[in-house]
Amino acid sequence: MEHLIELRRRLMWSIGGFFVAFLFCFFFAKQLFNLLVIPFKWATQWAGLDPHKVELIYTAPQEFFFTQVKLAMFGGMVIAFPLIATQIYKFIAPGLYKNERNAFLPFLIASPILFLMGASLVYFFFTPMVMWFFLAMQQTGTDDQVQISLLPKVSEYLSLIMTLIFSFGLVFQLPVVTSLMTRVGMLSSEALVEKRKWAIVIAFVVAAILTPPDPISQIGLAVPTILLYEVSIWSARLIERSKERERLAREKREAAETAAEKSADVSSTKSAST
């Protein structure tokens, strides 16, 4: 019952934090959406078009309302994630040893930082690149061809940028996951090196699934994934060296304690014999 009460309290804090963040994001939903449209404006400049004439449409009366709700949920989850992660940590921390808590805490801090790095890469580079690729497919109307213009729907544009942010944010967690698995002994740097070829293939397959069907976003996600895999190998080696140093220090300490105990036994034996 104590564990269930503790779980209920942590869930209430997490849900409450998400609800407050959701209301905040919904109140500023239009401003947030205009903020997300800025990469689209950059893409129009790259394509040689007027960024002041960027236009998005919605074809159903309720579409933009539900788009704002979806945006508020996504923004609320991003804002509330540090609180939710903290509540999860506080729930499981009492069941961990002190060294396990010390090992887990840096990864808890690194996870949102890496997610923000992936989201920033999407916002400042890959979304403008993807939209520029799609804008380049427009066709100017002449006597021999019809006018073909890009008029994205608000829901589809939000889904695109949310998918990219989620995909890159998830991929950027690779060093955290592999480091945790190395810390608990489930993975080693040698195993990561041996599976490098498979990792490259899987990176391109996952990129093809998570991103829109265009080569720019697929390559743009696969390349950082491969680089992060190399970072994971380097991080795993550092963790293994640290664990080896800790093992040697522990063995040295145990040997010193054993020698001290033997010396004390010899001293007591001599005292008893005299």
Side-chain angles (χ1 to χ4, degrees):
M1 289 300 297
E2 292 179 358
H3 290 294
L4 291 176
I5 293 173
E6 178 71 12
L7 178 62
R8 183 183 64 179
R9 180 163 63 250
R10 300 304 175 191
L11 285 174
M12 289 177 63
W13 274 101
S14 300
I15 295 173
F18 168 75
F19 184 70
V20 172
F22 169 80
L23 291 179
F24 175 81
C25 292
F26 185 76
F27 184 78
F28 294 101
K30 289 186 178 180
Q31 290 84 346
L32 291 174
F33 192 86
N34 288 326
L35 188 65
L36 294 178
V37 175
I38 292 177
F40 189 15
K41 294 182 178 179
W42 293 340
T44 58
Q45 289 180 328
W46 296 355
L49 303 175
D50 186 2
H52 299 289
K53 294 183 179 180
V54 171
E55 181 180 0
L56 285 83
I57 64 171
Y58 61 96
T59 56
Q62 73 280 5
E63 181 179 346
F64 189 46
F65 171 76
F66 284 112
T67 300
Q68 294 181 67
V69 172
K70 186 186 297 185
L71 177 59
M73 293 180 65
F74 182 76
M77 182 59 66
V78 172
I79 294 175
F81 177 78
L83 174 63
I84 296 173
T86 302
Q87 296 303 314
I88 294 174
Y89 174 75
K90 288 183 177 180
F91 179 72
I92 65 175
L96 301 175
Y97 292 107
K98 184 177 180 180
N99 61 336
E100 293 175 337
R101 290 197 298 269
N102 294 335
F104 186 77
L105 190 58
F107 299 110
L108 186 65
I109 298 173
S111 182
I113 294 176
L114 289 173
F115 184 89
L116 290 176
M117 290 175 60
S120 300
L121 189 64
V122 169
Y123 185 85
F124 291 104
F125 182 71
F126 283 104
T127 299
M129 286 292 294
V130 170
M131 296 309 299
W132 171 79
F133 176 81
F134 292 143
L135 284 169
M137 296 181 179
Q138 294 185 122
Q139 180 174 282
T140 304
T142 61
D143 295 335
D144 300 328
Q145 58 187 21
V146 297
Q147 175 77 23
I148 301 176
S149 301
L150 174 63
L151 292 175
K153 296 173 62 177
V154 292
S155 58
E156 293 176 351
Y157 178 79
L158 180 64
S159 297
L160 172 64
I161 195 168
M162 283 174 55
T163 300
L164 289 173
I165 290 175
F166 177 77
S167 302
F168 278 77
L170 185 65
V171 165
F172 269 65
Q173 303 303 311
L174 183 60
V176 174
V177 175
T178 54
S179 297
L180 279 174
M181 295 178 68
T182 304
R183 176 72 68 176
V184 299
M186 297 176 59
L187 199 61
S188 66
S189 60
E190 293 182 358
L192 291 173
V193 172
E194 291 176 358
K195 304 298 182 181
R196 181 185 279 120
K197 294 180 180 179
W198 287 102
I200 294 174
V201 175
I202 293 174
F204 279 95
V205 172
V206 172
I209 295 173
L210 294 179
T211 59
D214 66 280
I216 295 178
S217 57
Q218 292 177 8
I219 296 174
L221 180 58
V223 172
T225 304
I226 296 170
L227 294 177
L228 288 169
Y229 189 84
E230 297 297 326
V231 173
S232 300
I233 295 175
W234 174 76
S235 177
R237 287 172 177 168
L238 290 180
I239 292 174
E240 289 172 348
R241 292 172 185 172
S242 176
K243 291 173 66 175
E244 182 65 18
R245 287 195 298 267
E246 292 175 359
R247 184 185 66 82
L248 293 175
R250 184 174 60 253
E251 291 179 353
K252 185 178 180 179
R253 185 172 60 253
E254 291 175 354
E257 292 175 355
T258 302
E261 291 176 358
K262 289 182 179 179
S263 177
D265 291 340
V266 170
S267 300
S268 61
T269 303
K270 288 182 179 179
S271 300
S273 62
T274 55

